[in-house]
Amino acid sequence: MTPIQLAEALDLKIISRGDGDERTADGVFCCDLLSIVMGKAKAGAVWITVMCNINTIAVAVLADVSCVIISEGYAVDEDMVKKAEEQGVCLLQSSLPTFELGLAIHNLLQL
Amino acid sequence: MNDALHLHYFVDGDDFTRAGEASANVKKTLRQIGVSPDAIRRVAIVLYEGEINMVIHANGGVIDVDIAPDQITMVLKDTGKGIADIELAMKEGYSTAPEEVRSLGFGAGMGLSNMKKYSDEMKIESTVNVGTTVTMKVNLS
């Protein structure tokens, strides 16, 4: 399943489409500490975080995750959106808490 | 691939949001010359962590990257406050990052351990109040 299909299935807001039609979402990683994400997230994972700044996008690119989902309805600022668009990162947003979102994706992807 | 390629970057110590430019640029270069995705990912991660460290702790510095057919060598040099106890600094979870940096998602105490984990060789030379030089190598074969 692509990140965009996942967004449509779970009614997530698509903030930046990026390469979300081309990637395959094949895991879930939940964390707000960027170094832990870089050290431990697997390429292709869906990364769920409340950390909304442009460094989040830089880390998403480095860790090569398939998309970033901002959970808990946290607001995404313009700089972050701009950076996501520039870097071709699929950026999504949800009002769900991180755990509930992660569980819903886990079930949807039948992991 | 070219026999050797040398890249040089200046890391601005004042602008936290721009940290990662050297890493992104090296990543792009490696992709253009056909380096494997795994090696690119490792190089990008260790450089980004290094850049972030330079911005948080040393008010910036310089990065030199040498790309040879079999190995990438990265030298990150700063004239910051230095690391008093390298062994302690290497421990996962140990951090001296200030609160405002933590609020941006950094300062988890994982930077140096990630750099060691993802490089094939890492050497830290540091003198308190003089500066720190970190040399990392990633093998391509």
Side-chain angles (χ1 to χ4, degrees):
Chain A
M1 182 177 282
T2 68
I4 296 297
Q5 288 169 332
L6 184 143
E8 284 161 358
L10 295 174
D11 202 19
L12 310 177
K13 186 173 175 191
I14 300 168
I15 292 176
S16 159
R17 211 169 177 94
D19 60 2
D21 287 306
E22 293 128 51
R23 301 292 302 264
T24 300
D26 57 8
V28 186
F29 194 84
C30 305
C31 188
D32 301 318
L33 290 173
L34 303 181
S35 282
I36 292 179
V37 178
M38 271 190 281
K40 298 190 172 171
K42 293 199 168 67
V46 171
W47 173 25
I48 307 173
T49 180
V50 295
M51 192 55 69
C52 319
N53 60 61
I54 66 167
N55 302 112
T56 307
I57 302 300
V59 169
V61 172
L62 291 176
D64 199 25
V65 293
S66 56
C67 67
V68 179
I69 309 178
I70 302 300
S71 60
E72 310 267 6
Y74 272 80
V76 175
D77 66 25
E78 263 177 48
D79 286 346
M80 188 183 187
V81 178
K82 198 172 150 218
K83 183 91 171 173
E85 283 166 353
E86 275 170 16
Q87 301 278 323
V89 171
C90 177
L91 179 61
L92 310 170
Q93 189 188 38
S94 168
S95 56
L96 287 176
T98 298
F99 175 76
E100 285 178 31
L101 190 56
L103 186 63
I105 295 168
H106 179 89
N107 290 337
L108 183 68
L109 298 179
Q110 298 179 323
L111 296 170
Chain B
M1 196 188 292
N2 296 332
D3 284 335
L5 186 58
H6 182 81
L7 303 167
H8 181 78
Y9 300 95
F10 171 74
V11 179
D12 187 344
D14 294 325
D15 192 351
F16 212 90
T17 56
R18 279 182 58 200
E21 283 188 358
S23 170
N25 192 287
V26 170
K27 187 177 179 177
K28 198 170 144 194
T29 305
L30 295 181
R31 199 178 276 156
Q32 281 165 354
I33 59 177
V35 171
S36 77
D38 173 67
I40 293 176
R41 184 173 192 255
R42 295 198 292 132
V43 166
I45 289 173
V46 300
L47 269 181
Y48 187 64
E49 291 283 18
E51 275 184 81
I52 293 292
N53 278 348
M54 284 169 139
V55 176
I56 296 175
H57 300 288
N59 198 30
V62 291
I63 298 178
D64 287 282
V65 181
D66 272 301
I67 304 166
D70 59 339
Q71 195 175 54
I72 296 173
T73 304
M74 295 155 275
V75 180
L76 291 75
K77 193 173 171 55
D78 69 61
T79 51
K81 57 180 177 277
I83 305 169
D85 185 339
I86 293 174
E87 201 183 326
L88 180 63
M90 287 297 300
K91 276 193 180 161
E92 271 189 19
Y94 179 80
S95 175
T96 57
E99 190 52 41
E100 66 266 27
V101 170
R102 290 171 195 253
S103 70
L104 289 170
F106 294 107
M110 292 284 291
L112 288 175
S113 50
N114 273 352
M115 286 155 74
K116 188 171 174 62
K117 179 180 170 186
Y118 285 107
S119 58
D120 291 300
E121 269 178 60
M122 178 166 104
K123 184 173 74 176
I124 303 176
E125 295 157 290
S126 188
T127 306
V128 172
N129 295 327
V130 175
T132 300
T133 300
V134 179
T135 305
M136 293 181 287
K137 294 183 178 187
V138 169
N139 297 331
L140 295 180
S141 46

